[in-house]
Each structure stands twice: as C-alpha cells, then as structure tokens.
Amino acid sequence: VVVGGFYADNNTFASSGVLYVALNIQKDSLGDVHAEAFKAKFLNDYSGDRTASRSADLINYEVDKIILRSDGGMVILAESNFVTESSSYNSYYQLYTVTYTYHYDNVMILSVNPDGSLDWGNVMRKSQSSENDDAFFSSYALFASEKELCLLYNRGIRRKSDIIKYVIDSKGVASESVIIPGNEELMLMPKGCKQVSANHLIIPCTDKSKPGLLNFSF
C-alpha cells in the first residue's frame, strides 16, 4: 500500500513538498516516511501559483488522485480549486443575493520514485469558472492505461466549448488536442466519470442540454 500527498511547513497552509510512505502488507511493516521539498525552479516552471512572501510554496492545490506505479512509486494528481462568494442587495425586493463562483484551474501531475524522490512533474493548464452550479461541469475525467494517463475536460464552462484531451506518458511527456469541437454542444460532467475497463471510460454529459452518457474508447 502506498500513501502519499503534500506536506506543509509549520504555521502555513501552503504545500511545501511531497510525502511518500509504503506499507508492506505481507510483512505488516511500515517503511520510512520520505519527504522532498518543492524546489523554487520547479514551482516557477510548473505551478504559476505562489504566495507573495514564500516563492517555494504551493497554494489552492488539492490531491484528488494517487496512481500506483509498477515499481512501487506513485503518480499524484492535484487540482487547483477554490470558491469565492459575493453578495448584492436588491432594493426592490429588499433582500441580498449571494453568488458562489467555483474556480477549477491547473492540474499538477507528479511522478514519485519508490525512494520518495520526485521523478518528474508536469502541469495541465486550464481555467474553468462557473456560478451557482456546484461545479458540475468543471474539473477533469481521468483514464489510466498501462503506459499513459489521459485527462478529458471542458475548455470553458459554457455551451459550444471544446472538449480537450491531455495525454501524458510514463516519462512526463505530454500532448494536448481538441477531440470534440464546441459546435457539437456537448458538455462533460467529469466528476461523475467511471473507468469501466482497460479501454473504456463512461462520463455523464449533456448533449444540447439533454442528459446522457458518453462512452470513450481508447
């Protein structure tokens, strides 16, 4: 069993590095906890999100998926997301209206070796925002194969937006392409996706505002 994620220094909510530990089930033994700090150059190259006072910290990123590597290492996927709130007063009805804006931005993809050191890192750059919809159409759908990861997402949270495919291999080399153009009026609901086999991914969607399921074959 592999356990991993981000860790933070004292007195900060920002992520300062990656943490790795392995549990041997057969021997019932827990290995050493390995921690490696993010280097400033790495964050400058990949994250684009830093605090004003600490250039080597990562903010607003939440680990949501960990994938086991065949050698005992792991791949971490962490997405930048946060919610902002605003209110306005309607003098005619004499009430306040509250608006929640959901922001889902870049996805960091980190490959960690079995000794806890960082093998490589990459980032899928995106910018998604929507209001009062609980972010149904934001984030990404993930398909994992033996040699690569594939992330699918809506470029924008609106009708007639392109659907993007982002593919990254075991060496950290990535490519991006449009697989469904916006004129198809399809919108993914990525959080509800399910990989049902080695070759198929099912994603809830809307087609011209009608609900449906999309079957991706790889």
Side-chain angles (χ1 to χ4, degrees):
V1 176
V2 169
V3 180
F6 295 153
Y7 72 88
D9 293 331
N10 292 333
N11 304 318
T12 178
F13 291 103
S15 299
S16 303
V18 65
L19 181 143
Y20 171 95
V21 62
L23 170 66
N24 188 316
I25 297 178
Q26 293 179 339
K27 297 181 180 180
D28 193 23
S29 62
L30 188 66
D32 296 332
V33 177
H34 300 277
E36 179 169 321
F38 292 127
K39 294 179 174 61
K41 183 180 184 305
F42 171 81
L43 294 179
N44 288 332
D45 289 344
Y46 293 112
S47 71
D49 292 326
R50 299 181 299 279
T51 60
S53 59
R54 297 172 61 85
S55 62
D57 280 346
L58 197 67
I59 59 173
N60 292 332
Y61 278 81
E62 178 182 349
V63 174
D64 54 6
K65 292 179 177 65
I66 295 178
I67 299 172
L68 183 67
R69 295 191 343 186
S70 60
D71 62 355
M74 65 179 178
V75 176
I76 295 177
L77 291 94
E79 186 172 28
S80 172
N81 70 87
F82 59 97
V83 181
T84 56
E85 178 181 340
S86 61
S87 61
S88 59
Y89 183 71
N90 187 311
S91 59
Y92 181 81
Y93 291 104
Q94 296 186 345
L95 53 80
Y96 283 95
T97 300
V98 179
T99 299
Y100 297 95
T101 304
Y102 298 87
H103 305 267
Y104 279 74
D105 297 324
N106 297 343
V107 178
M108 293 192 72
I109 307 168
L110 309 175
S111 184
V112 180
N113 296 314
D115 62 0
S117 62
L118 186 62
D119 184 13
W120 53 259
N122 211 320
V123 65
M124 183 182 77
R125 301 189 184 278
K126 63 181 178 67
S127 179
Q128 299 170 320
S129 63
S130 59
E131 294 182 351
N132 296 332
D133 67 347
D134 204 25
F136 282 125
F137 301 101
S138 297
S139 195
Y140 62 94
L142 174 68
F143 175 85
S145 68
E146 183 180 359
K147 296 182 179 179
E148 62 186 19
L149 301 177
C150 179
L151 290 75
L152 306 172
Y153 67 95
N154 302 307
R155 186 192 296 276
I157 311 305
R158 62 184 183 277
R159 292 179 63 180
K160 298 187 177 182
S161 176
D162 295 337
I163 294 178
I164 308 298
K165 179 174 72 172
Y166 184 90
V167 178
I168 187 165
D169 66 18
S170 59
K171 301 297 183 182
V173 179
S175 63
E176 189 173 86
S177 60
V178 176
I179 57 170
I180 300 178
N183 55 19
E184 296 291 336
E185 296 193 37
L186 270 170
M187 288 191 69
L188 304 180
M189 298 180 182
K191 296 178 184 178
C193 74
K194 178 69 174 180
Q195 183 170 341
V196 295
S197 72
N199 302 313
H200 291 275
L201 178 70
I202 304 294
I203 309 177
C205 68
T206 60
D207 183 3
K208 297 181 177 64
S209 300
K210 295 180 181 180
L213 293 173
L214 200 60
N215 181 9
F216 276 98
S217 299
F218 296 87

